[in-house]
């Protein structure tokens, strides 16, 4: 998702640097109702209405306070849980993703925590927005500086924020602390593989992690490769066929295979009408991927 801030065009004989709009698979949701979004809304209508209500929670991350949204199954539990990492979309754009995903996880018996990392969503006041930080680095030092800034922030401040959400979940009486998984889309998929290396999760679900920045950021490729080779839990990699780049899922699953780590890889059919729609598949395509995802979670996050 370095391409959220800068993009290198490979359609020319020479690379050309130009600004690109932020696209986390969510950029069009506020302005028009895409086909995938309609599908997600229809799916939500089929779920019990009680599951569509989110609770806002707060938790510390070092010296700062973060906010997140929480969805719970009916009953008192304790339940398995997932920390779901949003992407790089600015402001409150990730709200639509959480609203689509939270009820799906709750309907399958999983607590869903969607933490807003510093600078985004309900945690906007907790720190600078990562997109602005990457853009500033690119302005000062070019693409390589932007890539280095992205990697540094994702493996420090933003990983700290993810793990702070995990620590909060483990303390809740309605959660089974040994059955907490991690998932995420786009930047959140990158955070997922970093979390599997560091967080003590039972499983990871990486949808489209690195799909917009893989080719332009060798530092990111090295970071994610190291993380999956050191993975402490199984990872399910999935993308839609029309996502921006399928290399991350294919490469990282091959790395796990090489070191005899447990993984699953699935490339689903084209979703929507564009690479942006394909990139949003992890958010809004649960009617397609739910059986696979929850089968994987229930297999590896055993009681």
């Amino acid at each position: 998702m370095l391409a959220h801030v800068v993009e290198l065009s490979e359609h020319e004989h020479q690379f050309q640097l130009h600004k690109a709009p932020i696209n986390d698979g969510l950029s069009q949701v506020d302005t028009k109702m895409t086909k995938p979004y309609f599908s997600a809304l229809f799916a939500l209508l089929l779920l019990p209405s009680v599951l569509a209500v989110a609770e806002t929670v707060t938790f510390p991350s070092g010296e700062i306070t973060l906010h997140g949204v929480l969805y719970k199954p009916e009953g008192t539990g304790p339940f398995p849980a997932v920390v779901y990492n949003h992407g790089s979309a600015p402001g409150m754009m990730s709200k639509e993703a959480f609203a689509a995903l939270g009820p799906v996880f709750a309907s399958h018996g999983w607590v869903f925590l969607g933490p807003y990392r510093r600078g985004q969503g309900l945690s906007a006041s907790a720190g600078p927005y990562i997109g602005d930080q990457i853009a500033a680095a690119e302005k000062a030092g070019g693409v390589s500086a932007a890539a280095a800034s992205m990697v540094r922030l994702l493996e420090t401040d933003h990983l700290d924020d993810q793990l702070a959400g995990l620590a909060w979940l483990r303390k809740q009486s309605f959660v089974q602390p040994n059955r907490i998984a991690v998932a995420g889309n786009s930047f959140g998929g990158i955070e997922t593989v970093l979390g599997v290396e560091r967080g003590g999760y039972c499983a990871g679900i990486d949808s489209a992690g690195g799909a917009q920045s893989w080719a332009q950021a060798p530092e990111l490729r090295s970071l994610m490769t190291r993380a999956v080779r050191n993975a402490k839990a199984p990872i399910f990699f999935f993308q839609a066929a029309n996502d921006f780049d399928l290399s991350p899922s294919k490469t990282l699953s091959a790395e796990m295979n090489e070191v005899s780590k447990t993984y699953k890889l699935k490339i689903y059919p084209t979703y929507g009408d564009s690479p942006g729609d394909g990139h949003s598949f992890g958010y809004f395509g649960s009617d397609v991927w739910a059986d696979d995802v929850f089968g994987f979670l229930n297999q590896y996050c055993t009681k």
Side-chain angles (χ1 to χ4, degrees), residues 110-131:
W110 285 72
V111 170
F112 175 97
L113 174 65
Y116 284 102
R117 302 188 299 277
R118 65 190 70 192
Q120 290 173 259
L122 297 177
S123 301
S125 64
Y129 167 48
I130 189 171

Side-chain angles (χ1 to χ4, degrees), residues 154-194:
L154 288 173
E155 69 173 337
T156 56
D157 290 351
H158 285 251
L159 179 57
D160 289 345
D161 291 350
Q162 176 199 158
L163 298 179
L166 169 62
W168 180 85
L169 259 186
R170 282 183 170 147
K171 296 176 183 177
Q172 306 311 306
S173 62
F174 52 84
V175 170
Q176 294 175 293
N178 62 324
R179 298 185 69 200
I180 301 179
V182 62
N185 190 74
S186 197
F187 262 26
I190 299 171
E191 280 299 320
T192 293
V193 300
L194 298 180

Side-chain angles (χ1 to χ4, degrees), residues 5 30 36 101 117-118 145 152 156 158 167 171 208 213 215 218 235 248 252 271 274 282 294:
V5 182
D30 286 346
L101 290 164
R117 302 188 299 277
R118 65 190 70 192
R152 176 181 59 81
T156 56
H158 285 251
K171 296 176 183 177
S213 47
I235 303 177
L252 295 173
Y271 185 74
S274 68
F294 290 104

Side-chain angles (χ1 to χ4, degrees), residues 36-136:
Y37 194 56
F38 270 127
S39 177
L41 286 177
F42 179 76
L44 288 179
L45 293 176
L46 301 180
L47 297 175
S49 60
V50 66
L51 297 180
V53 179
E55 176 185 350
T56 300
V57 299
T58 61
F59 54 93
S61 179
E63 300 299 316
I64 63 176
T65 298
L66 300 178
H67 294 74
V69 293
L70 185 73
Y71 291 82
K72 294 187 289 187
E74 293 185 89
T76 58
F79 305 102
V82 65
V83 176
Y84 196 96
N85 296 296
H86 60 68
S88 64
M92 287 299 296
M93 284 181 122
S94 293
K95 178 180 179 181
E96 285 83 5
F98 287 162
L101 290 164
V104 173
F105 277 84
S107 72
H108 285 81
W110 285 72
V111 170
F112 175 97
L113 174 65
Y116 284 102
R117 302 188 299 277
R118 65 190 70 192
Q120 290 173 259
L122 297 177
S123 301
S125 64
Y129 167 48
I130 189 171
D132 292 339
Q133 292 176 287
I134 296 172

Side-chain angles (χ1 to χ4, degrees), residues 105 108 110 179 181-183 192 196 201-206 233-238 256 261-266 268 289-302:
F105 277 84
H108 285 81
W110 285 72
R179 298 185 69 200
V182 62
T192 293
V196 169
Y201 294 103
C202 57
I205 308 293
D206 170 11
I235 303 177
F236 179 20
F237 302 94
F238 75 85
M256 292 190 75
K261 301 284 186 176
T262 301
Y263 71 92
K264 179 177 180 177
L265 168 66
K266 186 162 185 176
Y268 291 88
W289 53 249
D291 286 347
D292 293 326
V293 165
F294 290 104
F296 187 85
L297 291 176
N298 291 328
Q299 179 179 358
Y300 294 109
C301 295
T302 55

